Amino acid sequence: MLSTSCYLRTWERFVSEGVLDSNRLNKRIMESWYRCKKDQVNPYLNKGKHILTNESLEIQREKNSFLLEVASPQLSRMDKSIKESGMMALLVDPDGYVLSLSGNEKILNEAGKINFVEGVRWTEGEVGTNAIGTALKTGEAVMIQGTEHYSIASHKWSCSAKPILNEDGKILGVLDISCPVEYFHPSMLGMVANLTYTIEQEMGVRSYKKELALTQHSIELAETYPDLPFIVCNQKEMIISASKQVRKKIPQSLGMALAELLNHGYRIVKENPLPSKEDNRISGKCIFLSENYGHKTIFPASFRSEVFDFKGERGISESFQNTLHKVKLVAPAEANVYIHGETGVGKELIAMAIHENGSRKNSPFVTINCGAIPKDLMESELFGYVDGAFTGAKRQGHKGKFEQANGGTIFLDEIGEIPLAMQVALLRVLQERKIVPIGGTKSISLDIRIITATHRNLEELVNEGSFRKDLYYRLNVYPIHVPPLRDRIEDIPYIVNYLCSKNKWNIPLTEELFNLLKDYNWPGNIRELQNVLQRLTILLAEGPLDYVNVLNSMPSQPVTRHEDFPPFEEGNKKGFKENELTIREKIQRDLMLEALQKSRGNVTAAAKLMDIPRSTFYKRLHKYGL
């Protein structure tokens, strides 16, 4: 107890005066305290503050399904001894979210008092110096006891954690064993180290088996399609096998990065994910190539895409392949689907894929952006009106979107923007499958599939009272998450190739460009990537570009919602010339034009589409001379 009280005095002096005697504290913990001080972490925080909803936690678990699958049996094996020792074990993802938690029931109850629960984010930035967050920050094993923790929430706990690394040294997660300080045992860190080692070994074995399976796949493909140029890549986009034609042209192709191969004059014209025979997870990809941009290779019937029609680029990332797998499962069914994901990830493409791979594919697919319709026009847009329903109504009346989609599918994008009064009407449509146009007396029966989407968290809107719970449960029959681009970085070369080919953009696709694109955070997702590529096409017309200078001028984080431009002054109406705008400003202006086009010039609706205040939108209109 003497060392604990000594540390307590050390901690009190540091948080109040910023003074620290380096002899009193371990070097790694001291460095962490300084980081916490600099980042203004609250040392008096008494519990975790950021806990995922059940829906968001499931998404996070799905993203880290491989980690859970390999680690869970090892944790189960140690479960009895962990419980008997008065401890608990936590598996944490690279973002710091607790994916699973098991152990002594009494200890779990104590942990719940500080929100040390499944779904909580336990990083340095959230709760200060702690074994999980500091292990993630340093990439090293760490043990932190009592008042070595920066925030008081963990002062009564002893925690040991070690990162779980893949064969390339990338952190896949963290394993932590924690207990109250009175149950501390010196073997805790050794136990964590042994478990982590076992998990890493098992991951290595599975990766090796996948590589062997991919090699076998490539041998079979070479025998079946001897005249087609193709390569087989693993999930790291490294070429592990290539057809005779490719090897003849590029003898060093094996072990080469896909991005580098594409710089040798090849184009991707067809790709097929290769699932593992053991667990059906995507282990790699077979990519068919062409040296002639205008030449269409004739592929065997077994490799045609009629089995599953998707208009976009699939890529090879496990996160997006899981999304497409869900689409394949639900497409033949008639269930309502709720698609959630950030702005710009391609939710409409997912909705279209559900429609086109289902029984209604030859019937209408009608899409409507609920955030772009003024509230007073929403009812007439959705349900239509009869002749003479109101002043200015068309003489022959107007078919609403539901009636237009009858027999097919209606896609209600940005469903979270529907006002409460319309939510009641929509709920009635879902229950009765009938609508009555404005001014009409006769109901119209509907045979329709409903798909909804939003970038907002509907569960939070329900808790706030701005979205009806009964409607949420009606719509959320089968949720599908579309991952942001930053969670599928390995897909960027594929998406870039696809967009350049589709739009006939002649951009030299170098490894340097791909690396720069992969390093960016992509707050605007695929829509932003498309805008950047279009901008590069325009700038390349003026001559060669330094990609580093151009792309480094892009913002590294999403644009915040504060007023980030000064007020427009009446005496400064000259506007900006094209060459006076930065890349960020050009992209921002293009997004505004796109939003205005979608909202038919309605500034309020356009500002909602961009998720910024209307006042900010007006200031930018003036700034860019629009």
Side-chain angles (χ1 to χ4, degrees), residues 362-402:
N362 297 320
S363 302
F365 176 76
V366 176
T367 179
I368 184 167
N369 189 319
C370 301
I373 307 170
K375 291 180 182 179
D376 53 348
L377 296 180
M378 189 169 285
E379 187 176 5
S380 61
E381 277 290 311
L382 291 177
F383 305 137
Y385 54 82
V386 298
D387 180 16
F390 49 82
T391 304
K394 293 178 183 177
R395 180 171 294 179
Q396 70 276 24
H398 169 70
K399 276 188 177 183
K401 296 294 185 182
F402 275 97

Side-chain angles (χ1 to χ4, degrees), residues 3-34:
S3 62
T4 302
S5 62
C6 178
Y7 273 129
L8 180 58
R9 288 195 295 273
T10 304
W11 175 84
E12 286 172 342
R13 192 174 181 202
F14 181 75
V15 299
S16 61
E17 302 172 30
V19 177
L20 180 61
D21 181 354
S22 59
N23 295 323
R24 297 278 184 177
L25 211 59
N26 173 282
K27 182 174 181 287
R28 285 286 178 261
I29 296 172
M30 181 176 67
E31 290 169 347
S32 177
W33 277 20
Y34 278 116

Side-chain angles (χ1 to χ4, degrees), residues 398-604:
H398 169 70
K399 276 188 177 183
K401 296 294 185 182
F402 275 97
E403 193 174 354
Q404 292 173 35
N406 206 3
T409 304
I410 187 167
F411 174 51
L412 302 172
D413 199 5
E414 297 305 342
I415 189 69
E417 306 301 325
I418 287 189
L420 282 167
M422 281 304 301
Q423 291 177 32
V424 176
L426 180 57
L427 184 63
R428 192 177 302 120
V429 171
L430 287 165
Q431 290 170 337
E432 300 175 3
R433 297 287 163 166
K434 290 178 182 178
I435 58 165
V436 179
I438 297 173
T441 55
K442 199 173 177 182
S443 64
I444 299 169
S445 296
L446 295 176
D447 171 23
I448 198 169
R449 182 175 197 172
I450 298 174
I451 302 174
T452 55
T454 182
H455 73 283
R456 304 182 69 182
N457 188 320
L458 278 190
E459 203 171 311
E460 282 183 7
L461 295 181
V462 169
N463 293 334
E464 292 168 6
S466 58
F467 201 88
R468 293 180 62 99
K469 186 182 285 189
D470 46 4
L471 179 58
Y472 169 69
Y473 288 126
R474 283 274 185 173
L475 298 175
N476 193 31
V477 175
Y478 191 85
I480 293 180
H481 172 66
V482 186
L485 189 54
R486 60 184 172 276
D487 287 347
R488 45 181 302 214
I489 291 298
E490 59 267 50
D491 291 342
I492 283 180
Y494 298 92
I495 297 169
V496 170
N497 269 282
Y498 169 78
L499 291 173
C500 288
S501 178
K502 178 185 175 184
N503 296 289
K504 296 182 172 60
W505 292 333
N506 191 19
I507 300 174
L509 302 178
T510 64
E511 187 173 3
E512 176 197 34
L513 175 60
F514 282 131
N515 288 337
L516 286 167
L517 294 175
K518 286 179 178 181
D519 286 341
Y520 181 56
N521 190 45
W522 298 111
N525 293 296
I526 294 172
R527 186 180 298 149
E528 183 184 11
L529 174 60
Q530 182 167 319
N531 290 339
V532 168
L533 293 174
Q534 188 172 20
R535 183 67 57 197
L536 287 176
T537 304
I538 295 166
L539 294 174
L540 279 165
E542 299 172 359
L545 283 180
D546 183 339
Y547 287 142
V548 175
N549 288 339
V550 173
L551 294 173
N552 277 350
S553 66
M554 293 161 57
S556 61
Q557 295 297 330
V559 179
T560 55
R561 300 182 73 170
H562 57 46
E563 305 294 315
D564 47 356
F565 289 107
F568 174 72
E569 295 179 4
E570 196 63 20
N572 183 24
K573 287 187 176 179
K574 67 183 181 72
F576 277 35
K577 293 180 182 177
E578 176 73 18
N579 59 5
E580 291 177 343
L581 297 175
T582 66
I583 288 290
R584 170 183 173 174
E585 289 168 337
K586 289 171 183 175
I587 294 168
Q588 202 169 66
R589 187 193 61 183
D590 289 348
L591 289 172
M592 289 175 68
L593 287 170
E594 184 183 342
L596 285 166
Q597 187 178 18
K598 285 185 176 179
S599 65
R600 300 176 186 174
N602 185 304
V603 173
T604 301

Side-chain angles (χ1 to χ4, degrees), residues 68 70-83 89 100 102 195:
L68 278 163
V70 178
S72 294
Q74 304 304 327
L75 290 171
S76 296
R77 182 172 57 83
M78 296 294 294
D79 189 52
K80 185 179 178 183
S81 59
I82 287 171
K83 284 179 178 177
S100 74
S102 59
L195 272 171

